[in-house]
Amino acid sequence: MVPEDRTLLGKILEHLRTRAPLLARYRKDPALFFTERGVRFFKEFERLFYDLYSLEVSKSVVLAPRGGGKTFGAALLATAFFLFRDFDVGIVAGSETQALTLFSYISEWLELAETETVVEHLRRSDLVGVHGNRIVARTASARSIRGLHLGRSKRGALLIIDEEAEAAEDVIRAARYTVRTACPAIIMRSSTYHKLTGSFARLVEDHRSQGYELYRWSSFDIAKPCQYRCEECPVAEFKERYCKGKAKRSDGWIDVDEIVGEWRDTNRETFEVEVMGMRPASAGCVIAPEEIDRAVVKEEEIPVNHCEMLSFCGVDWGFAGMTAVVVLGLIEDKVHVLHTEAFHRHGIDTIVERLKELRSRFGLREVFADSSHPFENSRLRDEGFAVWGPTSETLGVPFVSFKEEGVAILSYLFEKDRIKIPESNITLLRQLRAWRRDAHGHIVKKDDHFPDALVAAMMKMKLMGVGRRIRTKITTAQRRVFANP
């Protein structure tokens, strides 16, 4: 038995001896560990990677589009710090799925043959290395990060906050303290700029005074080489405003035609935030005045053959103010406003009778009403209308969760000239032109009953697929895509 034990021990020692210069080589240039395995570093991420790994930058903020490689790039940095610097790594993400996705990327790298002996304990969301350093993944909640301390003056620590815009400010504040005793402490906070308020918005707008270096890129920085000549670009705005020739020099993973599709299938603000990684619009008109002007047509330009249309309506309930009803007709790729009507201090009986008349006139069956009035919505259903609801027990459109999405779909219709409003709808047009956001980007709740009725009706457009493309298409953050040779 003794010779066999010595032989086994000899094999282990030999493995460690042959592995030592390998790790030493990567310690000097950790990017080689990934590039030799097919990963391509685009220019801005390369700057981020070397700035942090060299410890020249201790606090960084990453602003990038959805599917722009933020999570996968964070996994590369976490792996490099854990393997080649013996750092602790803490991951705080906006959701459990996001945290586990990032952790799974790291685990894949650590499963490689050259790294199999560095992990001593591995669990679902944390691991411990043979040198005592660890990687811990947590969701962005006060409970999940309570008592978490990284580094503890024994070693350095890297804190990664992923999709910060989705997390509460008190959680982000608590997360930053988890590396307070690390020596040194490196922080990377990343997100798409979903919200105009909150810790991430303040950080992006005032990063220098807070001691942070900003790293940002758009979908054109990570696009596949563009097949179009610039002068023949299918979207004129790309050449002057967004791409500016970047896609001719990029070597990424997102097809330019996919970006073109996003431009055509969504509104400008959503495109700029989700695809370009830009900040959302702030104070100002919800719908641009020139887009409203383009939507206005004469009465005779509205199709009168209602049999060829798919008709539906939006309802914004109100008793003290007004109940607003907007009947819409969809034909081909255009939405036409067929009828608008306001009810001031009228009971449900009056409104039901009027909707019955509109049903006979326009073939109206589907109603998308504000969910704040369950009795009125139940009454409409009892009268034979198909009243949409998220569940069989709940009727109506939940404005709390849907309003911004509905506004984005409505904005898309205006921007793409896919909605037409007869000039006789004076109150609707007046309210649309007065519809505003405040300095924080919140829609001002004032004289907006008809816009809200339109927003409720946008649930029908969502069910038909309008507005879904951003969330379903640009999600290419997986290693097999990011790392294509």
Side-chain angles (χ1 to χ4, degrees), residues 142-382:
R143 181 178 180 182
S144 68
I145 62 176
R146 186 178 295 124
L148 178 63
H149 298 284
L150 303 168
R152 293 182 178 272
S153 301
K154 299 177 182 179
R155 56 169 48 91
L158 168 66
L159 172 65
I160 296 170
I161 302 177
D162 198 20
E163 290 300 344
E164 179 176 333
E166 301 300 324
E169 289 192 50
D170 59 333
V171 175
I172 299 303
R173 192 179 305 114
R176 297 206 309 268
Y177 279 104
T178 62
V179 294
R180 192 178 187 184
T181 59
C183 185
I186 307 296
I187 300 175
M188 188 183 87
R189 297 162 66 178
S190 71
S191 189
T192 301
Y193 205 150
H194 297 296
K195 301 174 182 176
L196 270 169
T197 58
S199 62
F200 189 75
R202 289 197 302 274
L203 176 61
V204 171
E205 301 304 329
D206 196 27
H207 58 276
R208 292 196 181 281
S209 68
Q210 297 183 48
Y212 281 79
E213 181 73 17
L214 176 64
Y215 302 84
R216 63 190 305 168
W217 59 85
S218 75
S219 291
F220 287 110
D221 293 295
I222 52 178
K224 294 178 182 177
C226 182
Q227 71 273 31
Y228 298 105
R229 297 172 59 216
C230 290
E231 55 271 25
E232 297 174 352
C233 181
V235 180
E237 287 87 345
F238 285 2
K239 186 172 63 172
E240 301 297 331
R241 180 177 174 87
Y242 302 117
C243 176
K244 299 179 181 179
K246 288 180 180 178
K248 285 295 184 183
R249 303 183 297 273
S250 60
D251 189 21
W253 61 94
I254 295 179
D255 196 289
V256 170
D257 282 337
E258 185 176 321
I259 303 175
V260 172
E262 302 298 342
W263 169 264
R264 291 173 175 166
D265 292 352
T266 190
N267 65 79
R268 181 185 294 274
E269 181 171 340
T270 302
F271 176 85
E272 291 186 343
V273 172
E274 303 285 4
V275 183
M276 298 307 299
M278 297 167 66
R279 71 191 301 276
S282 56
C285 298
V286 178
I287 307 295
E290 61 272 17
E291 292 168 2
I292 297 175
D293 291 341
R294 291 202 310 267
V296 178
V297 296
K298 295 188 179 298
E299 199 80 33
E300 55 268 24
E301 295 181 56
I302 298 295
V304 294
N305 190 349
H306 303 141
C307 295
E308 296 179 359
M309 286 189 179
L310 173 63
S311 62
F312 55 101
C313 83
V315 178
D316 180 53
W317 295 109
F319 182 76
M322 73 162 71
T323 290
V325 173
V326 178
V327 180
L328 302 174
L330 178 63
I331 183 168
E332 296 179 348
D333 65 343
K334 295 286 196 303
V335 175
H336 299 272
V337 174
L338 303 179
H339 181 81
T340 61
E341 191 162 350
F343 300 86
H344 300 273
R345 296 185 175 275
H346 288 89
I348 184 62
D349 291 337
T350 302
I351 296 172
V352 165
E353 288 306 312
R354 183 57 175 151
L355 286 176
K356 285 182 178 179
E357 293 175 17
L358 296 175
R359 180 166 60 190
S360 299
R361 179 178 170 188
F362 297 109
L364 177 65
R365 288 288 184 274
E366 292 183 282
V367 176
F368 296 85
D370 175 9
S371 64
S372 63
H373 286 56
F375 170 76
E376 285 81 355
N377 290 336
S378 294
R379 175 68 186 280
L380 289 179
R381 184 181 59 180
D382 293 342

Side-chain angles (χ1 to χ4, degrees), residues 77-104:
L77 276 161
T79 302
F81 272 90
F82 178 81
L83 280 180
F84 310 126
R85 280 200 174 277
D86 294 332
F87 269 44
D88 283 348
V89 177
I91 299 164
V92 178
S95 68
E96 181 182 24
T97 300
Q98 194 79 9
L100 293 178
T101 297
L102 206 164
F103 187 78
S104 70

